[in-house]
Structure formats: structure tokens, C-alpha cells
Amino acid sequence: MSLPDALVDALASARHVLALTGSGASAESGVPTFREAQTGLWSQYEPTQLATPEAFAQDPALIWRWYRWRRELVQAAEPNPGHVALARLHSLVDTMTLVTQNVDGLHQRAGSPDVVEYHGNLFANRCHEGSCDTNGADLEAEVPACPQCGGRLRPGVVWFGEAIPDGARERADAAAADCDVFLSIGTSSLVWPAAGLADIASTHGAVVVEINPDATPQTSRSHYSLRARAGELLPELVDSLARRKRSDT
């Protein structure tokens, strides 16, 4: 794809770049979306039966079996060229904030530092009863118990109906208000409050760039909307930025 020179210029002069990634960024690594993972044995369940506090309270063993299966799927995946390109981008801009709606940890495995995990992490565990230290828990148990209070442990992800963790939401909102360039990558722009970050950035004068094979509600509000997969376009974009940086020195 031929990249607009003005887009590369905007990145080259940016003081702060914010990248928001969604499920499309990980789909290229073979990680199924939440609903795509509901196949075979799990096809009989609705999302609300597997990813809500109410579902966990009713049948925590079922929820743990589901999440252990998902962990196995993700462990078999590898970061794709899009993840690697975003890790490279950190070294090419003054300040970069990476916010992900994904819970798979692939950005960290690709080398991106200090990722803001908007919806938590699939491989984290937390106490369902409080904010306990969960180190040392027996994770082989059907329903792991909190080593501190004895309550039930749960996967460290944000379920339907739950709020975004305060720290993640505050960091994402602050970065959106401060950035010069906002990259929306592989996200449907349908899940709130993450879908509102681009509007915050735009309101504060940022250049908004959408990278997605399909049009989304964000398309008409973006300065640049590039119809491509992240793993195909991001390496090209980062290479172009690197060449521009070299030519400017």
C-alpha cells in the first residue's frame, strides 16, 4: 500500500503517539476473538455464561475450564509482524503509549514496554473477594483458592458488566488527550469506553489514523483510514518512519 507522505510526516514530527489495538491485531497470530473461540464444546454457551461475575458465582469450575482452554490457545500463538512493528515504533518516537483491548500478552512478548492492558491479562489471576496478594496459589486446583484469604481466585480479565480498572482507564484517557497522533489498529470501535479514546484524541487536536481491513464507526471520523491488516501495513509504516528519521539527521 502506498502510504500518504503527510501521515509519515505527522509521525515524524509527533511528540506523543498513542496506539490502541483490538482483536484484529491478534487475529493474525491465530488468536480467535472471544466469540470465535466459542466452538466445539463451548458453542453451546453464550458470552454471558462464560464471562460475567454472575456466571463465575454460579459455576466457577466451568469458567476456569473455559479460561484454561483459552490460555492454551494463546500460549501456542506467536507475536506477528504488527506486534513487532509496534515494539519498534517505541524507539522511533519521543513518547509512545500502547493501549490494548487484547488480553493475550503478545505485545509484551514482541518487546513493547509498559503496555496499558485495558481489559486485563488472560494469564493474570486475582482474588474474587478482594485485592489480595495471589502469589503462591495452587493454580492446578479445579477452582484455585486465594492463598491470603481463602476466597476464590478468578482470571485477571475484565468481564461483561465490569468497569475498566481505574489505573488503565486514567492512563489511556490522559494519553488520548495528550497525543499528537492516534493509531486505531484492528479494533471494531464498537466496545466502549475504549471506542471513545479516538474522539478524545481528535478533540485535543491529534491526527487520527485507522488501520483495519473493514470500515468501522470510526472510519468517517479518522483523518486517515487505511484498509489493511496490521501485520501488513504497520511494518511498512514503521520502515517509512525510520527512513524519514535517518534522512532528517
Side-chain angles (χ1 to χ4, degrees):
M1 173 179 289
S2 178
L3 296 171
D5 288 339
L7 170 55
V8 180
D9 290 343
L11 280 172
S13 62
R15 174 185 49 84
H16 184 177
V17 174
L18 168 58
L20 170 68
T21 63
S23 60
S26 290
E28 296 174 62
S29 290
V31 177
T33 65
F34 187 89
R35 287 173 176 78
E36 288 173 346
Q38 290 177 256
T39 59
L41 171 66
W42 302 106
S43 61
Q44 62 185 300
Y45 297 100
E46 295 293 328
T48 53
Q49 294 176 284
L50 296 169
T52 64
E54 294 77 15
F56 184 77
Q58 182 176 353
D59 194 344
L62 172 69
I63 305 309
W64 267 108
R65 287 197 298 274
W66 157 248
Y67 277 94
R68 285 183 174 117
W69 180 72
R70 290 188 66 203
R71 286 175 175 183
E72 290 178 2
L73 286 179
V74 172
Q75 282 176 328
E78 295 292 337
N80 63 59
H83 293 113
V84 175
L86 284 172
R88 284 183 60 207
L89 186 58
H90 277 272
S91 65
L92 294 173
V93 297
D94 290 340
T95 301
M96 178 174 171
T97 303
L98 176 55
V99 179
T100 186
Q101 295 169 273
N102 301 328
V103 298
D104 49 47
L106 289 174
H107 285 301
Q108 292 91 327
R109 286 168 57 187
S112 287
D114 195 24
V115 179
V116 180
E117 295 182 307
Y118 210 68
H119 292 152
N121 189 293
L122 183 63
F123 297 97
N125 306 290
R126 65 183 179 89
C127 180
H128 188 58
E129 320 302 331
S131 55
C132 299
D133 181 354
T134 62
N135 289 327
D138 176 13
L139 300 179
E140 300 302 318
E142 184 179 43
V143 179
C146 174
Q148 187 169 337
C149 74
R152 294 168 298 181
L153 290 190
R154 52 163 283 183
V157 298
V158 176
W159 282 332
F160 293 106
E162 292 185 323
I164 304 302
D166 288 343
R169 183 160 188 179
E170 289 166 1
R171 288 187 63 192
D173 286 352
D178 184 66
C179 70
D180 306 296
V181 176
F182 181 98
L183 302 175
S184 174
I185 303 166
T187 175
S188 66
S189 297
L190 292 171
V191 179
W192 290 80
L197 291 172
D199 288 337
I200 295 174
S202 182
T203 298
H204 287 82
V207 174
V208 176
V209 183
E210 180 183 59
I211 300 171
N212 201 308
D214 305 307
T216 75
Q218 179 58 45
T219 299
S220 62
R221 303 197 301 273
S222 299
H223 296 89
Y224 300 95
S225 186
L226 307 175
R227 301 274 73 80
R229 296 180 183 277
E232 298 168 352
L233 189 140
L234 282 173
E236 182 182 353
L237 181 60
V238 172
D239 284 346
S240 296
L241 176 60
R243 288 193 295 270
R244 178 66 55 83
K245 291 281 188 176
R246 287 195 297 268
S247 67
D248 290 343
T249 57

